Amino acid sequence: MVKRALRNLKINALNEMQQAALQAPEKQDLILLSPTGSGKTLAFLLPMLRTLRTDVATVQALIIVPSRELALQIEQVFRAMGSGFKVNCCYGGHSVPTEINNLSQPPAVLIGTPGRLAHHLRRKTFDTRTVNTLVLDEFDKALEFGFQEDMAYIVNQLPFLKKRVLTSATPMDDIPTFTGISKPAILNYLAHQASAPHLKQKVVITKAADKLDALFALICKIGNTPTLVFCNHREAVERISDLLWGRGLDHGVFHGGMEQDDRERTLLKFRNGSHCLLITTDLASRGLDIPEIEHIIHYQLPHTGEAFVHRNGRTARMHATGTSYLLLAPDERPAYLAELPEQEAIPEKPVLPPPTAWATLYIAAGKKEKINKVDIVGLLLKKGELVKEDLGLIEVLDHSAYAAIKRDRIERVVQRIRTEKIKGKKINIKISR
């Protein structure tokens, strides 16, 4: 089953950490310490496949994660494995009735955030007696977010666990007793920091009054390549976003104060290339399903060296390369940098990058309306008269779907399919703004 999963994922070889996790004793608890972006999701999903049984009709594995986005990402990976086992997600901001309906025919694997999983357990929405595997993913982040009470409650409701797996991107000196982890095998790959040799660091020196101008000039110089701009607070994200929009710079924003639908749509447009620039808080520094990032810009310095490492971990992942830029005042010296990196020159007269090659089409129906990617591809190629090269990433959510289409084709496509039906139903289709 593992070989089939790797074929479906189009993965030819596992990295050293994933191989070690796959070879770890099946009945021993496991602590997996590895940097952000090193592939921990596969490291716990692949061994899990060996423990799932087709004759058990209730939840067998529970994965607790600190964020909605990480839950959705793991769900996507598990589905792509093509194991035949059902998987579902539970998280705050998602419809509770929809989740209860999903759990009425329980999945083999249930992924969720602590608060929402605890909510379902209090309502006894699903049976815990067959849950034999527990994964506490990004456990350090979950503790940082204050989820300890909910996690302790959940673990206490799982009486028949046979294996516990804890993953972390930072060292764990003390493992809280509520996890129940006993005599674990420990795989520590934090010293490997695979991204470090491939990461260039540069600095832009600018006065506080000129900081936004420096950011704008740097983004213009970088051009249309995947870039994250990190701020320390959501208010700063919104303020900088407004100023960049005023200068005609197309981008997305991402922070914890946004509605879940808006957050999902922002990440989706970033993944499919409609946006190459994302202004964000540290919420985007860990566990998000976003494409290989080429540039990180620290508009505001993180408060700790650990946060700095996690932000930079979004780029130069695995064997790729990337560049991290710090915007510093002339007298500013972060304590976690041994020496200042090379200075980056920025243009005096920045030229706005051209629009990205892709735009996003919104379709007001999804999985719950029995719409799938094949339906959408058929509609766009046949009725929309697109060629395959003009059609990019398609993502189908519960009640909506999004398709990336070449920007110079999308207006014409909307006109052609405006009155068409999918699965015999008239569905609202428009350009996602």
Side-chain angles (χ1 to χ4, degrees):
M1 189 177 285
V2 169
K3 288 182 178 178
R4 185 176 70 185
L6 292 176
R7 278 199 307 272
N8 289 338
L9 292 167
K10 297 180 173 57
I11 292 175
N12 297 320
L14 297 174
N15 63 33
E16 182 186 346
M17 178 270 294
Q18 292 164 338
Q19 287 278 13
L22 199 54
Q23 292 163 7
E26 193 172 305
K27 294 184 180 178
Q28 186 178 8
D29 290 347
L30 176 67
I31 293 177
L32 179 58
L33 306 174
S34 192
T36 297
S38 57
K40 291 191 290 293
T41 298
L42 273 187
F44 63 73
L45 285 183
L46 289 173
M48 185 185 292
L49 290 179
R50 295 172 173 168
T51 68
L52 298 177
R53 292 169 45 189
T54 55
D55 61 337
V56 176
T58 44
V59 179
Q60 299 177 58
L62 192 65
I63 303 172
I64 305 178
V65 296
S67 72
R68 313 160 186 179
E69 288 77 18
L70 184 53
L72 291 165
Q73 175 184 332
I74 296 170
E75 181 189 35
Q76 279 187 331
V77 174
F78 190 86
R79 288 188 194 281
M81 286 179 166
S83 67
F85 288 100
K86 185 180 177 184
V87 61
N88 277 131
C89 268
C90 297
Y91 50 86
H94 195 220
S95 162
V96 172
T98 296
E99 291 180 355
I100 291 172
N101 182 56
N102 289 338
L103 292 168
S104 66
Q105 295 179 306
V109 178
L110 181 60
I111 309 160
T113 51
R116 182 54 61 90
L117 285 174
H119 173 79
H120 283 296
L121 286 172
R122 290 187 179 99
R123 294 183 58 155
K124 302 190 185 303
T125 311
F126 66 95
D127 191 347
T128 62
R129 288 174 295 179
T130 52
V131 178
N132 54 55
T133 302
L134 171 68
V135 177
L136 299 164
D137 193 25
E138 299 280 9
F139 184 69
D140 53 331
K141 199 67 177 175
L143 290 179
E144 183 185 320
F145 284 173
F147 291 139
Q148 180 162 335
E149 186 177 333
D150 283 330
M151 288 191 292
Y153 172 77
I154 294 165
V155 175
N156 199 42
Q157 305 304 307
L158 307 175
F160 301 112
L161 284 176
K162 295 177 182 176
K163 187 177 183 72
R164 294 167 168 86
V165 178
L166 183 153
T167 84
S168 175
T170 58
M172 298 292 295
D173 297 326
D174 296 305
I175 304 300
T177 55
F178 76 78
T179 63
I181 287 176
S182 174
K183 299 178 181 176
I186 299 176
L187 298 178
N188 188 344
Y189 284 81
L190 291 176
H192 293 216
Q193 288 290 355
S195 66
H198 308 285
L199 177 69
K200 292 180 185 175
Q201 293 195 2
K202 296 191 174 183
V203 64
V204 174
I205 304 296
T206 177
K207 296 176 183 176
D210 301 327
K211 197 170 184 180
L212 185 73
D213 292 329
L215 173 66
F216 179 72
L218 178 58
I219 292 170
C220 289
K221 182 176 182 178
I222 289 170
N224 280 334
T225 54
T227 301
L228 294 181
V229 177
F230 279 105
C231 304
N232 291 339
H233 308 286
R234 63 183 66 165
E235 293 79 12
V237 170
E238 294 290 350
R239 177 173 54 82
I240 292 165
S241 173
D242 288 345
L243 292 167
L244 292 180
W245 277 119
R247 298 187 181 201
L249 195 59
D250 199 8
H251 62 276
V253 297
F254 184 82
H255 58 70
M258 297 167 63
E259 293 292 329
Q260 179 61 21
D261 285 350
D262 294 333
R263 281 163 59 170
E264 286 183 12
R265 188 162 49 248
T266 293
L267 293 181
L268 189 147
K269 288 185 177 183
F270 194 67
R271 283 195 293 268
N272 72 21
S274 294
H275 288 151
C276 285
L277 178 66
L278 192 64
I279 319 295
T280 181
T281 60
D282 282 342
L283 185 63
S285 67
R286 307 265 300 269
L288 291 190
D289 181 21
I290 51 182
E292 191 57 60
I293 307 301
E294 293 186 36
H295 303 282
I296 300 292
I297 301 174
H298 303 273
Y299 183 80
Q300 293 174 318
L301 286 180
H303 299 302
T304 66
E306 184 180 303
F308 184 64
V309 168
H310 286 308
R311 286 183 180 184
N312 288 336
R314 295 308 325 181
T315 189
R317 301 173 79 175
M318 305 303 282
H319 301 295
T321 59
T323 306
S324 165
Y325 301 90
L326 292 91
L327 270 63
L328 299 180
D331 57 348
E332 200 170 9
R333 296 290 183 274
Y336 42 79
L337 279 185
E339 58 184 35
L340 276 188
E342 170 192 352
Q343 189 162 343
E344 176 78 1
I346 53 175
E348 291 184 14
K349 296 182 179 179
V351 177
L352 204 63
T356 58
W358 299 95
T360 300
L361 187 72
Y362 165 76
I363 300 163
K367 295 172 189 173
K368 299 301 181 184
E369 290 76 34
K370 310 299 183 187
I371 301 297
N372 58 41
K373 288 184 183 180
V374 175
D375 300 322
I376 294 167
V377 170
L379 175 72
L380 295 175
L381 296 188
K382 292 176 185 176
K383 302 295 185 180
E385 299 180 18
L386 285 177
V387 295
K388 287 183 179 179
E389 292 73 22
D390 293 334
L391 183 57
L393 183 67
I394 296 172
E395 296 193 42
V396 183
L397 309 180
D398 279 351
H399 295 289
S400 60
Y402 297 85
I405 294 174
K406 284 290 178 66
R407 191 173 292 276
D408 58 358
R409 301 279 192 276
I410 195 165
E411 296 275 2
R412 198 180 318 154
V413 168
V414 171
Q415 291 301 321
R416 284 173 176 157
I417 64 175
R418 193 181 295 277
T419 59
E420 297 293 338
K421 296 180 179 180
I422 305 180
K423 293 275 177 75
K425 294 181 180 177
K426 179 73 174 70
I427 292 170
N428 183 26
I429 299 174
K430 61 184 180 181
I431 298 172
S432 179
R433 302 297 184 184

